[in-house]
Amino acid sequence: MTRKRVIALSLACIFSFITLFSSQQVTYGFSVSSQQKDDECCSQTQTCLLINNGFTAHLNMYYELLAEKYTPEYVNAWREISKEQAVLKKKISEAMKNGELMHGDVIDQDWYKKHEELQTLFVQAVEQRNEKALKKVLPKVFQQQKDLNKMYKERLSMIN
């Protein structure tokens, strides 16, 4: 097996794991910090967010590598989306920590349903190494993350 195949397989495994847990980890981390006030829970939340940030870094690189290979015209767009998302997540986390953002969901439940459907298609395309499907689904994945950023902005605008 060539080095490229080993790396691609490793990235696919990491992505599959991240896909299963990444969006739940963000919400869980936010909800714990907004509902719990004691130091013990705060340290657990920080750990949760730290773990998620590590996964996010891997996920962002994975998406970027896929974009470079299958949809090079979206590489810069993905970089901007992921940078913006990192800033927005940090602002939301700080707002929750400061008690400014306590009630209501940050991410709409409809987004989660669409995310699950799209991730199913995405994982199938990756598992099958279907280049045509990947070229079709990657822009949709990027658009969905852009929509998530819009939700984050809307939620943050409620506190300003």
Side-chain angles (χ1 to χ4, degrees):
M1 198 178 270
T2 67
R3 182 180 174 150
K4 283 185 178 182
R5 285 185 179 229
V6 170
I7 291 171
L9 182 60
S10 298
L11 286 173
C13 291
I14 290 169
F15 174 74
S16 296
F17 178 76
I18 292 168
T19 301
L20 291 172
F21 296 104
S22 67
S23 61
Q24 291 129 357
Q25 291 291 333
V26 172
T27 303
Y28 175 75
F30 289 154
S31 66
V32 168
S33 84
S34 66
Q35 294 173 0
Q36 304 292 335
K37 299 292 180 188
D38 61 12
D39 291 335
E40 184 179 320
C41 287
C42 183
S43 67
Q44 290 174 356
T45 302
Q46 290 169 349
T47 301
C48 179
L49 291 174
L50 181 62
I51 290 169
N52 184 52
N53 288 339
F55 287 142
T56 300
H58 289 280
L59 185 61
N60 287 343
M61 184 173 183
Y62 179 68
Y63 280 134
E64 188 172 331
L65 290 171
L66 287 173
E68 286 174 357
K69 183 171 182 174
Y70 297 109
T71 56
E73 65 274 15
Y74 288 96
V75 171
N76 289 332
W78 171 248
R79 287 178 182 153
E80 291 302 315
I81 291 166
S82 63
K83 284 179 190 175
E84 180 182 44
Q85 195 168 88
V87 170
L88 292 169
K89 283 181 179 180
K90 184 175 181 180
K91 287 180 181 180
I92 287 172
S93 180
E94 288 173 4
M96 289 185 165
K97 185 177 179 180
N98 295 333
E100 298 170 333
L101 191 61
M102 295 173 51
H103 304 289
D105 293 332
V106 175
I107 302 172
D108 187 286
Q109 291 302 314
D110 187 46
W111 184 90
Y112 281 118
K113 290 177 187 173
K114 291 177 183 177
H115 178 71
E116 186 176 345
E117 293 170 6
L118 187 57
Q119 289 301 311
T120 299
L121 293 174
F122 183 63
V123 170
Q124 287 174 354
V126 170
E127 287 175 344
Q128 297 170 359
R129 306 288 194 265
N130 186 336
E131 290 185 30
K132 190 174 182 179
L134 281 166
K135 288 178 183 182
K136 187 176 178 181
V137 77
L138 274 172
K140 292 177 182 178
V141 169
F142 297 158
Q143 181 60 47
Q144 190 176 52
Q145 294 302 308
K146 193 172 183 178
D147 294 343
L148 180 60
N149 287 354
K150 184 178 176 183
M151 269 188 276
Y152 287 156
K153 287 178 191 174
E154 289 171 1
R155 189 66 171 116
L156 285 167
S157 72
M158 293 178 183
I159 62 170
N160 294 332

